Amino acid sequence: MTTETTAQDPTQHLDLAASGTPHLRTVTARAKNPALLVPGGVKALAELGKLAHGQGVSAATLELVHLRVSQINGCGWCIEYGMRQARKAGESDDRLASVAAWRESPYLSEAECAAIELAEAMTRLADSSEGVPDAVWDRAAEHWDEQALAALVLHIGVTNLYNRLNVTTRQVPGTW
């Protein structure tokens, strides 16, 4: 028998085997997003986020990278927001669903896979003694020039920043 404890009432248990209904965990924010509390924070982050666009990396690739970084960091808010934005931009459910298993995906290009691989390495810096291994950088550099790589690196860094703000303060997915 499988049971889950709810976030609101730890004594309440849901018998999934008996009900057949999955439990939807309720997330409660710890605080407002720090960017909302620090004067000028939202504007500064929004401007920083715009810098990567129009620099030689397609908007679709930037959306896929955002999604993968957010998956790694467990940022439910950013995953939900990123999925919504990607769908508005015309991304298919097949392509979006394949991001988590990008190495096996028939839906992503070599360039997109190289961008996602770079995003993973940058997000998991402590996992390699090299930080971002040369082989990962070199694969990305096969697809983009220095300007586009700079934009990609900036976009990955900004996504990690948003993830850290949202995860730390437990921002609720689907809220704006």
Side-chain angles (χ1 to χ4, degrees):
M1 181 182 320
T2 305
T3 60
E4 298 254 345
T5 303
T6 66
Q8 291 179 334
D9 181 359
T11 63
Q12 181 183 2
H13 295 280
L14 178 64
D15 184 344
L16 294 178
S19 71
T21 304
H23 172 71
L24 297 177
R25 193 173 133 240
T26 302
V27 177
T28 303
R30 286 182 170 145
K32 287 183 180 178
N33 187 306
L36 296 172
L37 296 173
V38 174
V42 170
K43 183 178 179 184
L45 288 177
E47 290 300 316
L48 185 60
K50 292 177 187 176
L51 293 176
H53 295 271
Q55 301 299 315
V57 180
S58 73
T61 298
L62 295 175
E63 293 291 353
L64 298 173
V65 162
H66 170 86
L67 179 58
R68 184 63 188 134
V69 170
S70 299
Q71 289 171 340
I72 292 166
N73 288 325
C75 183
W77 194 98
C78 291
I79 291 168
E80 194 277 335
Y81 179 79
M83 294 283 286
R84 184 182 303 262
Q85 294 304 110
R87 283 187 182 114
K88 281 183 187 177
E91 280 296 338
S92 72
D93 286 338
D94 288 335
R95 282 175 45 85
L96 294 173
S98 73
V99 169
W102 62 269
R103 286 175 180 84
E104 292 83 28
S105 175
Y107 302 107
L108 304 175
S109 71
E110 291 298 318
E112 290 166 334
C113 289
I116 293 170
E117 183 179 29
L118 178 61
E120 286 188 356
M122 283 182 61
T123 302
R124 296 178 167 147
L125 289 172
D127 290 357
S128 170
S129 61
E130 297 179 74
V132 175
D134 289 339
V136 171
W137 181 265
D138 292 345
R139 275 190 288 280
E142 289 175 13
H143 301 281
W144 294 288
D145 64 16
E146 188 174 35
Q147 184 74 23
L149 278 170
L152 188 56
V153 167
L154 180 64
H155 184 72
I156 295 163
V158 170
T159 300
N160 272 289
L161 172 59
Y162 274 109
N163 290 169
R164 280 151 177 74
L165 294 175
N166 290 331
V167 170
T168 300
T169 58
R170 291 190 183 145
Q171 296 305 297
V172 179
T175 61
W176 317 117

